[in-house]
Structures are given as structure tokens and as C-alpha cells.
Amino acid sequence: MALMTIAEALREGIREEMRRDPTVFCLGEDIGVPGGFGGAFTVTLGLSDEFGHNRILDTPISEIGIAGVAIGAAMTGMRPIADVQYGDFLFCMMDQLANQAAKMTYMSGGTVKVPLVMRAPVGSTRRGSQHAQSLEAFFTHIPGLKVLAPSTAYDAKGLLKSAIRDENPVLIFEHKLLYGSKGGRSEKGALSPIGEVPDEDYTVPIGKGAIRRVGKDVTIVGKLLTVYRALEAAEELAKEGIEAEVIDPRTLIPLDKELILESVRKTGRLVVVEEDNLTHGWGAEIAAIVAEEAFFYLDAPIKRVASLDTPPPFAPPMEAYYLPSVERVIAAVKSQF
Amino acid sequence: MTIASLNNATQVELLTLYREMLLIRRFEEQCNALFLQGKIPSTLHLYIGQEAVAVGVCAALRPDDYVLGTHRPHGHALAKGVTSRSIMAELFGKVTGCCKAKGGSMHVGDMSVGMFPAIAIVGANAPIATGAALSAKMRGSGQVVVAFFGEGGANEGAVHEAMNMAAIWKLPVLFVCENNLYGASTPVSQIVAVENVADRAVAYGMPGVIVDGNDVLAVRDVTRTAVERARAGEGPSLIECKTYRLCGHSRSDACNYRTREEEAEWRDKDPLLRIRKLLTEETGLATLSDLEQVEAEVEAILTDAIQFADESPEPAPEDALLHVFWEDK
């Protein structure tokens, strides 16, 4: 057992899978250049020393190309892990993800598989509008993609390994404030959770959520950074006698719907917290599922806490106002009592 | 055309090329008729007039090489060895189709013969081809990959990124541009500022070759050179085949954007007329009865394919739920 940050856990996961399986390789911008960053958040730092520059493959700034190359390699016997420097750049490769990767197995009648992994950092971190968005909901809306959102070091490594071994295209969203990246790539305001990660080989199954805090009065569902915002809110609420249960779905597609429903049947209240902006978002989907399948267990209207319906602003006061704060989570819960 | 232009092609080779080209031509003509009879429920982008490109290129490939087609893929698939039965059944929307009726006309393919499910987003197949070529290089398989696209597709950013990446990594991939002069209705002169798409190759650091796309032997020979280069680890090539779509862009196209005179000129350059003439008048390698025999073989294949498609079962509606994700067999 070792204590690791999420960036370290992801790095070890990649390292172990590349040792285990010669078809696994990484590609992306600035991931292996000697003297470079090891990816924007240091996840691949040092891996080219062990695996060389053919398997830690630096690419041109060509996001369509990165996605297309990963798809073509995956369809012909390789298991690529593509590094997207900032999640926002996924929009540049949208055709390859939405029209190609997601549909290839389906439109070939199940004769072709696309076992690729795409890792993308999300979250607003004082970089303005184009290096800040939380994009999960765009991809959970595309049948054919699996979408993961690990929030702990243990899950990051275990889910990454499951993703690499999966026969489908898997997107892994990682939050910039959770990586624990060090040195010049460390982030202001980061939480950098450090967690215990087993030394032996293990995986976290895709499609299983986790209860992060047990409670009886309200269910708070968060993902990535908002799991921690929810936990902080829960501690505050406990001081006032409200015991919140905090659920981290860990994988968004497929979703562990039953875990959420079971919790809501127990607590009778649901608050969904996400960093994406509100309208037509992931939180709306979770709310709809609960409204459709556990309506008669609800004691109060479902509440969603999300970023505002604006692009992510730059200046710290505006950014803080835009994001779903602990205070907004507390207020949402209290409004249900 | 002189005997020298045969480039040592034998009678058997030439008749094989003729058979493959004729199969595509007749397949497409039958598709048109079957569409009008209501047997094919989709639109169709027919390959009539461009047969020498797919057949010439695929004649230079190994069976395990990969081909990535376009929204006009029947010719690519047939030339790469996907069966007429499985393509026709796919067009009919039958479970015996090469994509189990999930793909339709624009996605025909069969990876067991190296034909990717065709990719109908213009230019999007190029980076995927580059990825397959990277995979071939990493696996040391010696395979070569071909991405077909039109002069319209040549203007997609995806193609630019794909060519640059293939060139920097010296990947075994051929970018084959089928310049048929019109992207749907838009003439090439409106959308390309240079005279030839192949002129762009120099910007990527790869050879750019221009070939008469209606001359199947010429296409085969330039492809062979590019394939040898690719297999030797020397990297990609861009081949521009000058050709013409003798039919409309899709089923609904009356071709009002081009002149009947231009069409007549190109009908005189029909690649099938050309190879027939080469085989008979110019070289005497085949008699008219040899050609008739080939034609009878092709008709028999198509009659069988149509009957197979017609008699095959339709999918159950709930089969729509299958294959969203990979299912281990």
C-alpha cells in the first residue's frame, strides 16, 4: 500500500498496464518530450524513460488527428491511451469521438471493436473560458461511449486499468484541482487528495458507484471535485443535525442508478451537485431518473446545484461566484427542510 | 496505347481487373434499378465511372492491407474483396448484410478482408487510416493502409492533420484522392486554388503523384510504387486520380450543375471502354468471347447476390438495441 496523489496513481496505472500488455501505448501533446511537462498535469512524467518515445508518443497539436489515430490503432489491435491536454479541446475532435469512435461497433453490426481510452482534464481553474469547462454531459449523451469520473487515487488507478482493458471507447474525466500535480504544474486552490493505493494489481469495476458518507436525511450526488464540495457541506450540515449521504457515481456511463435510487428511497431528498453549467445538464438527468423511479419516496423537491449558465469567467471573484460552492450546496439542502 | 503500356500485365491479370471493374459497374447499375423497384430503402452514392481507381489501387495491395472508404464505398468494398452477397444484403437492410443491417450503403465494410466499415463523414477516415498505419508499424505487420477521399474531402482539416502525422512518423499509408471534379454539385475550381490536389503533398513532405484515374493499369502501377515505399518504411504518399462520376452524386441528383457535353466527353473516357479496347483491339490479348465469358460470370454473381439479399430475413426491430457496446462472442 502506498500513499499517492491522483496524478501518481494514474501514472502507475499506465505504467503497470504498459508493462503487462505491449499493445498499450500513450499519445498526446507534450506527454514525453525530454525536459517537458509529462502532459499538462504531469500524469505521464518520466514514462518515456521506461517505455521510449514510440510508446509515449508526442503528437503535433492536432486533436482531430490524435482522436482519429487512436481510433484507427484501436480498431487494428492496439490499445491507445490518448491524452487530451485540456478537456475543452475535446470539442476540436468531436466528429471523431461522436461520429466515429462511438458508432463504429454499432454500425459495423458488432464486428469491430474500438478499445481506446481518452483522458481529459476538466474544471475551472483561473484560466478563463476555454481551459475550464466541465464537459461530461456532452459525452454521456452519446450512445457508444463509456464515461468515467474518478475522484480518488484508488479509483483513478483502478478505473483507468478497467478502461484500458475494456473493448469500448472510454473517456476518463479528471479534475485539475484533484490531480495533486507538483512543481510548476501545481494548481492554486487544489485539494490534491492523497489516498492509499494497493501495490498489487486491482481494478475498479466500471458501473459501480461509491457511498462517500453515510447519512439518513438527504442524498447529495456529486462527481469529481463536487464530491468534495458535497462532503464539506455535509460536515457543516451535521453541525445542525442534518445527516447527508454523499454518493460518488464514479462512472457516469454506465451509471450505477440503483445506488442513487436506494439512497433516495432511504433519505427522501436529493441534491445533485456538478461543476458543469445548469441547463440541460447531467444533474437534470439524475433528477429525472429519481423523479421517474423514486418519486413517491421524495419528501421535498429535487435541487440541482451547478455552475451558472455563462461561460467560465476568469477573475477569481467572478469564478467563485460562478462555481457551485459549499455554501450553495448547504443552502440547497436546507431549502428542502 | 501501345503494348509497352501494359507494363507486363498478363492476359489473366487484365481479365481479372476487367472482371472486378465490371462487377462494380454492374453492381451499381443493379443498385439503381433495385432502388427504383423499392428493394433498397436508402439513398445511394454510386461509383459509376470511378471503377479503375478502386480496382487499380486494390490490385496493388495484399489481402491483409487495410482500405478505408467514403460515403461512396461500394466500389472500394468490392475491390477489397467484400462479397457482393454481403454488400447487397446490407443495402437491402437484411441481417445477412456485412454490417447486419446496422450500417447501410454508406458504412459497408468487412474487417476480415481488410475493409473498414466505410466512413461517411467526409475526410474523417484519413486520421483513422493514419492510426491503422501507426498500429501496423508498431505491430511490425508490414501492412499498408489506404484512405480514399475526394477532392472535396481534401479540404477537410482532418485530412491535413492525418497527412502531417503520417509524414512525420513515416507511416505506411496511401492517401488516394479521387478527383471526380465535383464535390456533390460544387466544381473543383471553386474549392481548390492549386491546379492539382497532389501539389499539396510537398507541403507535407511526401511524394504527390497525379495519375489518369480512368486507366486501371496506370493506377495500379503508381499504387505499387507507393506501396513499396510504404512497406520499406519510407512513409506515406498522396496519389491523385483524375476521374469523373458518370452518375449523379446521389439518387436524387439530375446533374444540372454540369453540361451534357462534358458528360459525353467523359463517357468516351469510360474506364470500362478503355480496358475492353486494350484487351481486344490494342493488344489482342482477349477475344470478344473472352469478354462475354467475364460478363456472364459477373451477371451470375449479381443474380445470386440479389436473390440472396431478397430472400434473407429482415432484422427484428429490437435488434436496434444490440451492439451499442462490444459484446464478447
Side-chain angles (χ1 to χ4, degrees):
Chain A
M1 203 69 97
L3 288 170
M4 288 187 193
T5 63
I6 286 181
E8 288 163 348
L10 288 167
R11 189 183 308 136
E12 287 316 299
I14 294 171
R15 190 193 306 279
E16 287 173 20
E17 291 302 294
M18 286 184 71
R19 283 179 184 162
R20 191 183 62 80
D21 181 350
T23 68
V24 177
F25 73 102
C26 295
L27 74 164
E29 296 156 8
D30 302 299
I31 64 168
V33 177
F37 314 123
F41 299 94
T42 70
V43 170
T44 52
L45 191 66
L47 290 177
S48 57
D49 296 341
E50 178 172 350
F51 300 106
H53 295 284
N54 290 331
R55 290 184 71 196
I56 303 293
L57 183 62
D58 288 297
T59 68
I61 304 171
S62 299
E63 283 81 14
I64 302 171
I66 291 168
V69 163
I71 292 164
M75 290 173 73
T76 55
M78 301 298 287
R79 289 184 180 273
I81 306 170
D83 183 300
V84 183
Q85 201 158 63
Y86 287 84
D88 311 70
F89 307 167
L90 288 166
F91 286 136
C92 306
M93 55 172 81
M94 206 60 177
D95 168 65
Q96 289 292 329
L97 295 173
N99 284 326
Q100 313 303 333
K103 294 177 174 55
M104 208 56 80
T105 296
Y106 190 78
M107 67 190 200
S108 69
T111 61
V112 173
K113 58 183 168 184
V114 191
L116 72 81
V117 174
M118 188 148 301
R119 300 183 26 256
V122 293
S124 190
T125 52
R126 303 183 180 181
R127 288 176 166 89
S129 289
Q130 296 179 340
H131 292 63
Q133 296 160 92
S134 291
L135 301 147
E136 300 90 288
F138 287 95
F139 296 93
T140 53
H141 193 63
I142 301 171
L145 300 177
K146 293 188 179 180
V147 182
L148 315 186
S151 65
T152 69
Y154 180 89
D155 285 352
K157 184 176 173 188
L159 282 172
L160 174 71
K161 280 171 167 260
S162 290
I164 293 168
R165 298 176 195 184
D166 201 280
E167 306 295 1
N168 297 283
V170 182
L171 270 73
I172 304 182
F173 288 99
E174 301 160 2
H175 200 286
K176 299 179 197 103
L177 296 183
L178 298 180
Y179 275 125
S181 311
K182 290 171 184 155
R185 305 305 298 171
S186 66
E187 292 286 309
K188 273 204 182 80
L191 296 188
S192 306
I194 290 171
E196 288 193 339
V197 178
D199 299 322
E200 66 272 14
D201 186 36
Y202 75 98
T203 57
V204 172
I206 292 174
K208 284 275 168 230
I211 298 172
R212 299 299 184 198
R213 184 184 194 280
V214 177
K216 61 177 176 39
D217 300 322
V218 57
T219 300
I220 309 179
V221 179
K223 59 178 156 66
L224 296 167
L225 184 65
T226 61
V227 171
Y228 295 91
R229 302 291 187 240
L231 286 168
E232 209 181 318
E235 291 311 308
E236 289 302 311
L237 289 163
K239 290 174 192 165
E240 300 180 35
I242 297 171
E243 291 299 333
E245 182 145 292
V246 176
I247 292 192
D248 175 1
R250 302 196 287 192
T251 76
L252 311 182
I253 299 287
L255 178 71
D256 191 351
K257 207 168 75 171
E258 203 43 48
L259 187 73
I260 296 169
L261 290 171
E262 208 175 289
S263 177
V264 172
R265 286 186 203 114
K266 180 176 74 176
T267 63
R269 293 179 180 82
L270 173 68
V271 174
V272 189
V273 194
E274 63 176 327
E275 194 176 315
D276 197 355
N277 58 301
L278 181 78
T279 301
H280 293 280
W282 175 78
E285 178 61 25
I286 302 298
I289 289 170
V290 169
E292 283 180 341
E293 301 190 33
F295 182 78
F296 294 108
Y297 293 87
L298 289 172
D299 296 326
I302 297 166
K303 290 286 171 186
R304 291 175 291 156
V305 180
S307 290
L308 306 179
D309 281 326
T310 70
F314 159 64
M318 286 194 290
E319 189 187 54
Y321 180 72
Y322 157 89
L323 289 168
S325 62
V326 174
E327 292 71 28
R328 280 170 58 197
V329 178
I330 292 170
V333 170
K334 284 188 174 172
S335 77
Q336 294 181 318
F337 287 88
Chain B
M1 191 179 277
T2 64
I3 303 285
S5 71
L6 280 171
N7 291 353
N8 301 319
T10 64
Q11 184 210 31
V12 174
E13 283 171 341
L14 274 180
L15 281 173
T16 302
L17 295 172
Y18 176 54
R19 181 183 297 107
E20 292 182 3
M21 289 168 63
L22 185 66
L23 178 66
I24 296 172
R25 173 66 56 90
R26 292 292 300 134
F27 187 98
E28 298 294 58
E29 287 171 350
Q30 289 283 13
C31 281
N32 197 45
L34 291 160
F35 173 87
L36 294 172
Q37 291 166 32
K39 295 279 190 187
I40 294 177
S42 71
T43 187
L44 294 167
H45 303 91
L46 301 178
Y47 201 63
I48 292 170
Q50 300 176 212
E51 296 88 346
V53 178
V55 170
V57 167
C58 291
L61 299 179
R62 293 194 325 214
D64 66 334
D65 289 334
Y66 290 119
V67 163
L68 286 88
T70 65
H71 61 287
R72 193 181 303 288
H74 306 172
H76 306 136
L78 287 165
K80 191 63 177 73
V82 184
T83 65
S84 297
R85 275 185 166 206
S86 74
I87 302 174
M88 194 62 84
E90 187 64 30
L91 302 186
F92 274 56
K94 299 297 185 74
V95 287
T96 51
C98 52
C99 303
K100 298 180 186 162
K102 283 274 173 54
S105 167
M106 288 194 276
H107 302 301
V108 295
D110 179 352
M111 284 297 261
S112 72
V113 296
M115 177 72 195
F116 273 61
I119 289 169
I121 301 293
V122 172
N125 61 347
I128 298 175
T130 296
L134 175 67
S135 160
K137 187 177 180 180
M138 284 178 154
R139 290 179 290 112
S141 67
Q143 290 162 294
V144 165
V145 186
V146 173
F148 287 104
F149 54 91
E151 81 291 341
N155 294 330
E156 288 281 6
V159 176
H160 162 73
E161 294 189 16
M163 287 199 195
N164 182 54
M165 290 167 104
I168 57 173
W169 295 328
K170 291 195 184 307
L171 298 180
V173 53
L174 277 53
F175 298 99
V176 177
C177 176
E178 303 187 66
N179 183 347
N180 65 14
L181 306 186
Y182 295 88
S185 64
T186 307
V188 63
S189 57
Q190 283 185 24
I191 54 141
V192 176
V194 287
E195 194 179 342
N196 307 292
V197 172
D199 294 346
R200 295 177 177 174
V202 67
Y204 300 107
M206 70 174 78
V209 188
I210 298 163
V211 65
D212 178 348
N214 285 15
D215 179 344
V216 68
L217 285 181
V219 172
R220 185 195 64 174
D221 291 345
V222 298
T223 308
R224 275 184 179 166
T225 304
V227 165
E228 277 167 28
R229 182 186 147 81
R231 281 204 224 285
E234 291 167 32
S237 299
L238 170 57
I239 299 171
E240 180 180 3
C241 303
K242 305 278 194 188
T243 185
Y244 197 77
R245 164 164 54 67
L246 289 173
C247 54
H249 163 70
S250 63
R251 271 290 319 146
S252 57
D253 178 12
C255 295
N256 292 329
Y257 46 83
R258 62 189 197 191
T259 65
R260 301 294 86 92
E261 291 73 25
E262 181 185 278
E263 290 175 351
E265 260 175 56
W266 279 94
R267 268 198 299 278
D268 291 342
K269 296 190 259 187
D270 183 330
L272 277 146
L273 287 181
R274 194 135 164 199
I275 189 168
R276 274 191 204 117
K277 203 168 162 197
L278 176 67
L279 272 160
T280 53
E281 287 171 41
E282 290 174 6
T283 66
L285 280 171
T287 61
L288 284 177
S289 87
D290 292 331
L291 298 192
E292 280 166 12
Q293 196 191 322
V294 169
E295 285 151 19
E297 286 167 19
V298 164
E299 292 311 312
I301 290 169
L302 290 176
T303 302
D304 169 71
I306 294 164
Q307 190 183 347
F308 173 77
D310 209 22
E311 291 173 357
S312 290
E314 289 200 321
E318 59 271 27
D319 285 357
L321 294 168
L322 302 175
H323 312 304
V324 176
F325 292 106
W326 176 260
E327 293 151 33
D328 282 316
K329 310 278 181 302

